[in-house]
Amino acid sequence: MKKLFLTTALTCSTAFAAQAEVVVMSWGGSYGAAQTEAHVKPFMAESGIKTTMIDSDNPAVPIKAQVEAGNVTVDVVSLEYADAIRLCDEGLLEPIDPSSLPAGSDGTPAIDDFLPGAITECGVSTDIWSNIYAYDSTKFPDAKPTTIADFFDTEKFPGKRGLKKGAKAVLEVALMGDGVPASEVYETLNTPEGIDRAFKKLDSIKKDIIWWEAGAQAPQLLADGEVVMTTAYNGRIFNAAIDENKPFVIVWDGQIYENEMYSIPKGAPHMEDALKFIEYATSTEGLRASAEQISYGPARKSANLGGDIIYKDGKTVMGPNLPTYPANLENALESSFEFWVDHDSELNERFNAWLAS
């Protein structure tokens, strides 16, 4: 791997580096493994700073609890975009100065090199990932699902469906499956009629749904034959298909994509080293290294130059497998952090009531 850019602070003494430590909390599974290979191991090797990865099904939950209890043991946390905004607004994350981030490999300042929205007050994008749905190709030897509407068509494509247990990215999928264009989803969902429409669409397959909560569960449901298709994080399906030779096919129509963020919890015990890690991991080379490990798109323009990112061991070209690949964006929805910051509690309350009914 190329020698990654480090701030001059990384030229610390051996004695200081030996005392330093960074604890990173992420999502585990293939995603955590990708971050470990692309960020944790090379950062530790180059900086001399001990760096460890710990897993959580949803890092926002334990981080909030740690900060509110005044017992923070994590230095860097991987958060969904809306959670990074919400926790920042609640004063639970440290601000990150964009000027501290390294320029792109072509010299472009970080603030101009990152894609729009990829830097927030308390977070820096590590990648652009996507909620998609995938199916087991052995279950459909003839007609193949190709649209988000097909996910809800249990007559043409019979079998159980996997869905993440929660309102976010489920209500949007329901509306797109009911014919709402991606460009109109949040406008529709921002009305009582739109919410009713989403739940009515979910009603149409409720008896066929198997719910999942952790990212690793979705591909496992497919592999075990408990479902014939499921929503999932695109990287999980990619790794199952490429690394494990599973007969899984991603349908990009109706994908919901967003930035994943590295943030620093308020009161992190190793604040300076946490920032060094983020600077390293979100450099041009750091983001490309991540895209070599898992099929999430780099959030810097300079990291996308050339489109020549190759999956580890030369197994495949990554471009067509990334959420940001042009053909995959034809009916794609960018998740609205503004909408979910404002409506997360009320819609999950209604979702849980619907689930129990």
Side-chain angles (χ1 to χ4, degrees):
M1 181 181 293
K2 293 181 180 178
K3 180 180 179 71
L4 304 188
F5 174 92
L6 290 176
T7 61
T8 54
L10 279 185
T11 59
C12 55
S13 68
T14 302
F16 176 81
Q19 298 172 5
E21 181 177 11
V22 174
V23 176
V24 182
M25 178 181 282
S26 189
W27 298 81
S30 54
Y31 187 61
Q35 290 177 314
T36 297
E37 293 300 320
H39 300 156
V40 172
K41 289 182 179 179
F43 172 75
M44 182 164 54
E46 185 155 327
S47 68
I49 298 172
K50 179 182 178 182
T51 308
T52 56
M53 173 75 78
I54 59 176
D55 301 340
S56 172
D57 287 345
N58 182 359
V61 176
I63 289 303
K64 180 178 174 68
Q66 285 188 17
V67 177
E68 290 181 342
N71 184 28
V72 181
T73 59
V74 172
D75 301 296
V76 176
V77 59
S78 182
L79 296 170
E80 291 188 0
Y81 199 85
D83 286 332
I85 299 294
R86 176 175 56 83
L87 294 181
C88 186
D89 289 346
E90 293 174 6
L92 304 180
L93 301 176
E94 296 286 349
I96 297 176
D97 183 358
S99 67
S100 71
L101 302 174
S105 58
D106 59 356
T108 303
I111 195 68
D112 299 317
D113 191 36
F114 276 91
L115 298 173
I119 301 176
T120 66
E121 182 182 353
C122 301
V124 184
S125 178
T126 62
D127 55 76
I128 298 172
W129 60 279
S130 178
N131 277 290
I132 47 80
Y133 85 86
Y135 65 89
D136 181 340
S137 62
T138 66
K139 305 299 184 183
F140 305 109
D142 301 317
K144 308 290 186 183
T146 58
T147 70
I148 191 64
D150 291 336
F151 185 83
F152 293 88
D153 192 342
T154 54
E155 290 188 11
K156 186 176 181 181
F157 302 104
K160 296 291 185 180
R161 269 51 169 173
L163 273 173
K164 186 178 181 183
K165 193 175 183 180
K168 184 183 176 187
V170 169
L171 298 181
E172 293 101 317
V173 163
L175 286 180
M176 287 188 285
D178 201 40
V180 177
S183 60
E184 299 176 14
V185 164
Y186 288 112
E187 178 183 350
T188 304
L189 199 54
N190 211 26
T191 67
E193 296 80 9
I195 296 171
D196 290 344
R197 182 175 175 179
F199 279 103
K200 184 178 179 181
K201 190 64 176 178
L202 290 175
D203 280 335
S204 70
I205 61 167
K206 189 174 185 180
K207 64 181 178 61
D208 293 309
I209 297 173
I210 295 180
W211 300 100
W212 59 269
E213 296 181 71
Q217 290 176 292
Q220 194 62 53
L221 287 173
L222 271 183
D224 292 345
E226 293 189 50
V227 300
V228 297
M229 60 181 76
T230 182
T231 59
Y233 305 136
N234 74 286
R236 302 277 185 166
I237 298 298
F238 173 85
N239 281 82
I242 301 299
D243 290 340
E244 302 171 25
N245 296 313
K246 299 295 184 184
F248 301 163
V249 178
I250 290 177
V251 177
W252 291 101
D253 184 65
Q255 68 147 314
I256 304 171
Y257 65 92
E258 65 176 271
N259 286 279
E260 181 73 14
M261 312 297 282
Y262 272 149
S263 295
I264 302 173
K266 194 77 171 180
H270 306 100
M271 194 88 63
E272 291 184 8
D273 298 316
L275 183 57
K276 294 171 191 174
F277 175 84
I278 291 176
E279 291 171 356
Y280 181 97
T282 62
S283 66
T284 297
E285 294 85 354
L287 296 186
R288 285 181 65 89
S290 180
E292 292 170 358
Q293 298 289 328
I294 196 166
S295 59
Y296 297 146
R300 278 183 182 260
K301 299 170 190 173
S302 60
N304 285 292
L305 291 177
D308 57 349
I309 298 175
I310 305 296
Y311 186 51
K312 58 186 179 182
D313 302 324
K315 291 180 178 178
T316 188
V317 176
M318 293 302 288
N321 297 292
L322 301 178
T324 50
Y325 191 66
N328 298 338
L329 290 169
E330 290 181 3
N331 185 40
L333 174 66
E334 182 176 8
S335 181
S336 171
F337 76 88
E338 295 100 335
F339 179 86
W340 285 108
V341 166
D342 291 341
H343 299 288
D344 184 81
S345 295
E346 65 185 83
L347 287 180
N348 272 298
E349 183 177 341
R350 176 160 176 180
F351 176 84
N352 289 330
W354 171 83
L355 204 59
S357 64

